[in-house]
């Protein structure tokens, strides 16, 4: 095993590891304290050289000298390695619930634009947005297989300040997104339980639902993963039955109805965007995945097929089997469609499936949000207490923060939640695209276990269509959503310096995990990799 050294033979002070997996940072004490003896330890049959001590707190942007020991695969932290990792099948359904969860909520696309544009949108939009985002997630997630995901990508490419902004925007958009699922859950049940239409019973129901699902997240990610598999099968089964029952009723001419002069483009694009984004969210769980370099790309591929089919075929059956009334196509309308096609029993089944689906989306999104906070704490971007795990291996503080945000935002309406979440998410995606291109250019030699088979020009061109789409979504936002979202952006711009001030004053404790590679001057690392 070899370690990087500078010309004098001492560990290279400015070295870092962009791939986040092929090497592990071993902090030396030369940079900030007198030399200390190290003790060899046995780990998985290999001897690793580690320092006897690690600084309790490291200024962000201030990095100690580090040696990198080639071990082929990044080791998990001692705290995390005790817990079982997530395999391919649960990961597929976690991605499915991060992105989709089934056709619940796609009804507005028909109401906004009619059957033809709705069907075409869910076939074409994945090529413009979902596939590029999933491919970038596969490449960057295997390059940096650790919790924190896109926060680490942006930090490596643009520096810790912008990495924090990415974390703030994506966490906030994730929490806003999660506030939507109790709303959808109750929208599907209120026809069967009219009491849920009233303000106070609805608020109590949201609180009870949030507490119950939050506890499930607390119990462990592997449990959440297999629960997602079960919920996925249960929630999609009634749509398979509905599709079969709809075959005798289908009239293909109903699929071709379009009125370009009567299209709510804002609602239409926001509905497509909301239902086909968040492929990158799974990257914040990469540190909890079994062999993420192979598992993550496979899971993203299988999940992409599952998501597109879960949207397109129910829409095909619903719009082709019943007479069109666009005003009725709002969230929750699939239950009525099922009643027309199969009867009351199928309608109840769809409503139950909607409840199961929203449970799955909630726990998957909360897992991503909470582990992102844990990953940021391990990078020294958030106070150390965010990095503490429960006895089940879950980020307790991150879960509580995310759940609190859901409860506070659950009073918003469906359309307001979708629009606000999309606005913030767009800013975060712009930073991701920039980071992807910058790392391709500045770190061409960095190991990428999965690499999109295009060159630098191809990487830039691949980001153009989704970037144009982002600009369109932002331009169509209402003034209210735009103002609220920009205020949230400005809060992030001042929050990072405020946290650094608290760290400097030692009001809060910040630390960088000793098992993570340093991410700093990308140009120096590229030079070292090439030479």
């Amino acid at each position: 095993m070899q370690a990087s050294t500078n010309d004098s033979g001492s560990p290279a002070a400015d070295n870092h590891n962009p791939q986040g997996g092929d090497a592990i940072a071993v902090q030396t004490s030369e940079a900030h304290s007198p030399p200390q003896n190290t003790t060899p330890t046995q780990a998985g049959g290999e001897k690793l050289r580690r320092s006897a001590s690690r600084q309790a707190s490291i200024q962000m942007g201030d990095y100690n000298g580090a040696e990198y020991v080639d071990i082929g695969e990044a080791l998990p932290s001692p705290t995390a390695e005790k817990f079982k990792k997530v395999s391919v099948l649960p990961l597929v359904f976690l991605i499915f619930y991060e992105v989709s969860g089934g056709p619940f909520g796609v009804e507005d696309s028909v109401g906004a634009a009619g059957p033809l544009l709705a069907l075409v949108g869910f076939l074409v939009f994945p090529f413009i947005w979902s596939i590029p985002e999933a491919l970038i997630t596969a490449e960057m997630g295997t390059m940096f297989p650790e919790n924190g995901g896109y926060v680490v990508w942006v930090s490596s490419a643009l520096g810790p300040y912008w990495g924090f902004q990415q974390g703030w925007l994506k966490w906030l958009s994730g929490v806003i997104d999660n506030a939507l699922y109790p709303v959808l859950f109750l929208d599907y049940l209120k026809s069967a339980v009219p009491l849920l239409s009233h303000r106070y019973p609805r608020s109590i129901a949201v609180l009870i639902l949030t507490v119950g699902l939050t506890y499930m997240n607390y119990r462990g990610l592997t449990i959440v993963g297999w629960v997602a598999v079960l919920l996925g099968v249960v929630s999609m089964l009634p749509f398979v039955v509905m599709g079969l029952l709809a075959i005798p009723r289908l009239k293909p001419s109903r699929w071709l109805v379009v009125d370009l002069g009567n299209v709510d483009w804002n609602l239409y694009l926001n509905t497509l965007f909301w239902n086909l984004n968040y492929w990158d969210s799974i990257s914040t769980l990469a540190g909890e995945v079994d062999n993420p370099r192979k598992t993550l790309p496979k899971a993203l591929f299988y999940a992409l097929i599952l998501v597109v089919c879960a949207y397109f075929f129910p829409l095909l059956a619903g719009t082709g089997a019943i007479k069109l009334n666009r005003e009725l196509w709002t969230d929750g309308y699939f239950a009525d469609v099922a009643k027309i096609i199969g009867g009351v029993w199928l309608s109840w089944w769809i409503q139950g499936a909607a409840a199961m689906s929203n449970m799955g989306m909630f726990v998957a999104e909360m897992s991503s949000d909470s582990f992102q906070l844990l990953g940021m704490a391990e990078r020294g971007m958030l106070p150390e207490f965010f990095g503490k795990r429960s006895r089940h291996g879950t980020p307790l503080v991150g879960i509580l923060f995310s759940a609190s945000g859901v409860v506070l935002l659950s009073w918003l309406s469906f359309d307001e939640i979708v629009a606000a979440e999309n606005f913030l998410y767009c800013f975060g995606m712009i930073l991701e695209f920039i980071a992807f291109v910058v790392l391709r250019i500045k770190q061409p030699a960095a190991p990428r276990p999965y690499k999109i088979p295009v060159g630098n020009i191809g990487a830039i061109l691949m980001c153009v269509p989704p970037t144009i789409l982002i600009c369109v979504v932002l331009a169509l936002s209402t003034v209210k959503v735009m103002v609220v979202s920009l205020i949230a952006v400005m809060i992030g711009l001042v929050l990072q310096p405020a946290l650094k001030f608290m760290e400097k004053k030692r009001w809060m404790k910040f630390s960088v995990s000793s098992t993570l590679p340093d991410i700093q001057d990308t140009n120096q690392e590229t030079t070292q990799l090439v030479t």
Side-chain angles (χ1 to χ4, degrees):
M1 293 184 289
Q2 296 179 346
S4 299
T5 58
N6 58 24
D7 293 338
S8 63
S10 60
D14 288 320
N15 201 7
H16 78 289
N17 175 32
Q19 66 271 26
D22 282 345
I24 185 169
V26 183
Q27 286 302 118
T28 66
S29 54
E30 295 178 333
H32 296 277
S33 61
Q36 299 181 23
N37 294 329
T38 60
T39 304
T41 62
Q42 192 73 19
E46 288 188 274
K47 290 185 177 180
L48 305 177
R49 294 177 56 215
R50 296 186 180 183
S51 64
S53 62
R54 166 93 174 174
Q55 273 187 277
S57 178
I58 299 178
Q59 283 286 109
M60 222 162 65
D62 235 1
Y63 298 91
N64 292 352
E67 295 177 44
Y68 291 92
V69 183
D70 188 8
I71 60 175
E73 183 75 38
L75 292 179
S77 69
T79 305
E81 67 185 0
K82 299 184 299 182
F83 305 103
K84 190 175 180 180
K85 299 292 185 178
V86 179
S87 57
V88 175
L89 184 60
L91 191 63
V92 168
F93 279 88
L94 281 172
I95 297 171
F96 173 69
Y97 276 120
E98 293 274 12
V99 176
S100 168
F104 311 102
V106 304
E107 299 97 330
D108 278 319
S109 65
V110 179
L116 181 61
L117 288 182
L119 291 169
V120 170
F122 280 102
L123 284 180
V124 174
F125 199 90
F127 290 94
I128 300 174
W129 182 266
S130 301
I131 292 176
E133 187 183 7
L135 288 172
I136 291 172
T137 300
E139 178 172 320
M140 303 295 285
T142 55
M143 188 180 177
F144 299 91
E146 61 176 272
N147 296 331
Y150 36 68
V151 177
V152 184
W153 313 345
V154 176
S155 296
S156 182
L158 306 177
Y161 179 81
W162 290 109
F164 180 90
Q165 302 310 315
Q166 173 74 352
W168 165 250
L169 291 173
K170 296 305 274 293
W171 178 80
L172 190 57
S173 67
V175 170
I176 294 173
D177 181 58
N178 228 10
L180 184 62
Y181 302 131
V183 173
L184 278 175
F185 178 88
L186 296 176
D187 280 344
Y188 271 92
L189 292 185
K190 67 185 179 184
S191 60
V193 186
L195 186 63
L196 293 176
S197 300
H198 301 288
R199 179 179 177 183
Y200 291 109
R202 185 182 182 89
S203 300
I204 294 172
V206 166
L207 183 59
I208 293 173
L209 182 64
T210 301
V211 171
L213 295 178
T214 299
Y215 178 72
M216 188 180 297
N217 276 92
Y218 165 75
R219 289 302 303 271
L221 188 59
T222 52
I223 293 177
V224 170
W226 285 108
V227 167
V229 174
L230 176 63
L231 293 176
V233 173
V234 171
S235 61
M236 290 309 300
L237 191 56
F239 287 98
V240 175
V241 174
M242 187 182 79
L244 295 174
L245 294 176
I247 292 175
R249 294 170 167 263
L250 294 178
K251 293 184 179 180
S253 60
R254 290 171 174 166
W255 297 328
L256 305 178
V257 177
V258 62
D259 182 4
L260 294 179
N262 184 25
V263 176
D264 185 343
W265 292 105
N266 185 27
L267 178 59
Y268 174 67
L269 289 176
N270 270 306
T271 302
L272 290 175
F273 192 72
W274 173 66
N275 281 286
L276 287 165
N277 64 16
Y278 276 88
W279 295 93
D280 58 337
S281 293
I282 202 65
S283 67
T284 63
L285 306 175
E288 312 301 311
V289 174
D290 182 28
N291 193 9
R293 294 163 179 248
K294 293 182 179 179
T295 303
L296 188 58
K298 285 182 182 179
L300 283 164
F301 175 73
Y302 297 143
L304 181 62
I305 296 173
L306 180 60
V307 166
V308 173
C309 291
Y311 287 145
F312 185 74
F313 289 108
L315 275 176
L316 201 67
T319 55
I322 65 173
K323 189 177 180 180
L324 177 64
N325 185 341
R326 283 176 53 177
E327 292 182 359
L328 298 178
W329 279 87
T330 58
D331 60 283
Y333 186 59
F334 263 124
D336 296 324
V337 173
K339 185 177 181 180
I340 296 171
I341 293 175
V344 176
W345 64 273
L346 187 57
S347 176
W348 279 83
W349 196 1
I350 291 285
Q351 289 182 23
M356 298 297 102
S357 176
N358 281 282
M359 288 172 61
M361 288 187 284
F362 186 99
V363 295
E365 182 63 52
M366 181 164 287
S367 294
S368 176
D369 295 341
S370 57
F371 273 99
Q372 178 197 316
L373 297 181
L374 181 143
M376 292 177 71
E378 289 179 338
R379 282 290 175 187
M381 296 182 179
L382 290 176
E384 194 177 67
F385 60 81
F386 278 98
K388 301 297 182 182
R389 293 176 182 255
S390 70
R391 60 191 179 93
H392 301 290
T394 49
L396 180 59
V397 177
I399 288 173
L400 292 176
F401 262 73
S402 299
S404 300
V406 168
V407 173
L408 291 173
L409 294 168
S410 60
W411 57 271
L412 294 172
S413 69
F414 179 91
D415 293 342
E416 288 175 329
I417 290 175
V418 171
E421 173 230 326
N422 285 347
F423 197 96
L424 294 173
Y425 187 82
C426 286
F427 280 114
M429 286 309 304
I430 290 173
L431 287 175
E432 278 186 36
F433 292 150
I434 294 173
F436 168 64
V437 172
V438 167
L439 290 174
R440 270 296 190 97
I441 295 172
K442 290 189 174 182
Q443 298 190 28
R448 291 168 169 85
Y450 174 84
K451 185 175 182 180
I452 305 170
V454 294
N456 290 344
I457 300 299
I460 294 172
L461 292 176
M462 190 177 71
C463 295
V464 171
T467 302
I468 293 174
L469 179 63
I470 285 174
C471 294
V472 173
V473 171
L474 293 177
L476 291 175
S477 298
T478 63
V479 175
K480 177 182 177 182
V481 168
M482 191 176 298
V483 170
V484 172
S485 300
L486 289 176
I487 290 174
V489 171
M490 288 187 287
I491 290 174
L493 295 177
V494 299
L495 184 58
Q496 196 268 355
L499 287 173
K500 299 313 299 175
F501 179 78
M502 293 179 188
E503 180 184 4
K504 185 177 180 180
K505 294 293 185 179
R506 298 189 178 183
W507 294 345
M508 291 183 178
K509 187 177 181 182
F510 292 71
S511 64
V512 179
S513 173
S514 61
T515 62
L516 295 178
D518 288 333
I519 47 175
Q520 49 186 91
D521 191 339
T522 57
N523 291 321
Q524 291 184 8
E525 175 62 21
T526 304
T527 302
Q528 291 173 357
L529 286 168
V530 174
T531 58

